[in-house]
Each structure stands twice: as C-alpha cells, then as structure tokens.
Amino acid sequence: MNDAILVTTSNDPKGTVITVNGELDMHTCPALRQATTTATASHTALHLDLAGVPFMDVTALHLLLDLHHDFQQRGVPLDISGYQRQPTRLLTLTSSRHLLPHAQSVEAARRVCAELARTVSLVTTPLAG
C-alpha cells in the first residue's frame, strides 16, 4: 500500500467538496477523517469525490459508514461519487453499497446535497405563530 494521499477541500454556497487522490487504507484514513471533521464544522452539505481513489480497504469502508451515520445523526447531507473498480467491488462484496449515498458526479451530488439541505431546513424551521 502507498502511504501518500492528497485530500483537497473546496467550499461554495452549496456545501463542501472533499476530493481524495490516493489509496484509502489504515495509514491514510486519518487524513480524510481530519478533513471531514474540519469541513463539516459549519454543518453544511458535504460531498466526497473518490474518483482518484483506486484502492480502499476495510478501514476506509468503516470510515465511510461511520461518516454516513454521523452525518445522518446531525442532519448534514452527505454524498459520495467516483467509486473506482476496486472500491466498488469492496462495497459489493461486503453488501455495503446500498448503505452509502452515491452520486454520478460532483455536480449531481451538489444538486442532491442542496436539495437535502433545503429539505432539512424546511423540516427544522419552527412555525411562526
């Protein structure tokens, strides 16, 4: 496994996009965890772009499942795109693919996250009266 990973974060009014390049494993997952913790302090929608991740192990799978659970609990929209062949196979073999959100592209994920954020704000906005 390669210990080099590049995690970049970009923000816009629709939320945060974290782009990952490199292998996600027990040595590199802490960098992604740190980036997601920092990026979501503002409670905006988050999109993970994994198009640059050719390999991920079970540690990465656990991290993604934990992130999904954490975000659901806090009401923060999360979406993921760009699963390559091996990560897709890992998700399929572990029957986890249906547990994680998946978008076809960063643009599609931003649309989904923006809609989810609107829905969450409508649900949590107190009624006037």
Side-chain angles (χ1 to χ4, degrees):
M1 301 305 133
N2 183 352
D3 287 349
I5 188 170
L6 177 62
V7 179
T8 56
T9 303
S10 61
N11 297 300
D12 68 26
K14 296 179 184 175
T16 301
V17 175
I18 295 179
T19 304
V20 183
N21 289 290
E23 296 179 353
L24 274 176
D25 57 29
M26 65 185 288
H27 302 290
T28 58
C29 277
L32 178 56
R33 170 60 87 178
Q34 179 61 41
T36 60
T37 301
T38 302
T40 59
S42 64
H43 303 288
T44 61
L46 176 66
H47 174 72
L48 295 178
D49 179 1
L50 301 181
V53 178
F55 172 85
M56 69 181 217
D57 69 4
V58 236
T59 307
L61 175 59
H62 282 281
L63 173 61
L64 295 179
L65 291 169
D66 287 347
L67 287 173
H68 178 60
H69 176 75
D70 293 348
F71 282 49
Q72 275 189 323
Q73 294 296 318
R74 294 186 297 158
V76 177
L78 168 70
D79 212 342
I80 304 169
S81 70
Y83 293 111
Q84 288 194 33
R85 186 176 182 181
Q86 187 278 333
T88 299
R89 183 159 165 74
L90 175 64
L91 294 174
T92 302
L93 288 173
T94 59
S95 300
S96 303
R97 189 174 178 134
H98 69 283
L99 299 174
L100 292 170
H102 184 262
Q104 296 302 317
S105 66
V106 172
E107 292 76 24
R110 285 183 178 202
R111 283 192 302 274
V112 168
C113 285
E115 183 58 36
L116 286 171
R118 249 190 318 280
T119 302
V120 168
S121 91
L122 289 174
V123 170
T124 58
T125 302
L127 296 173

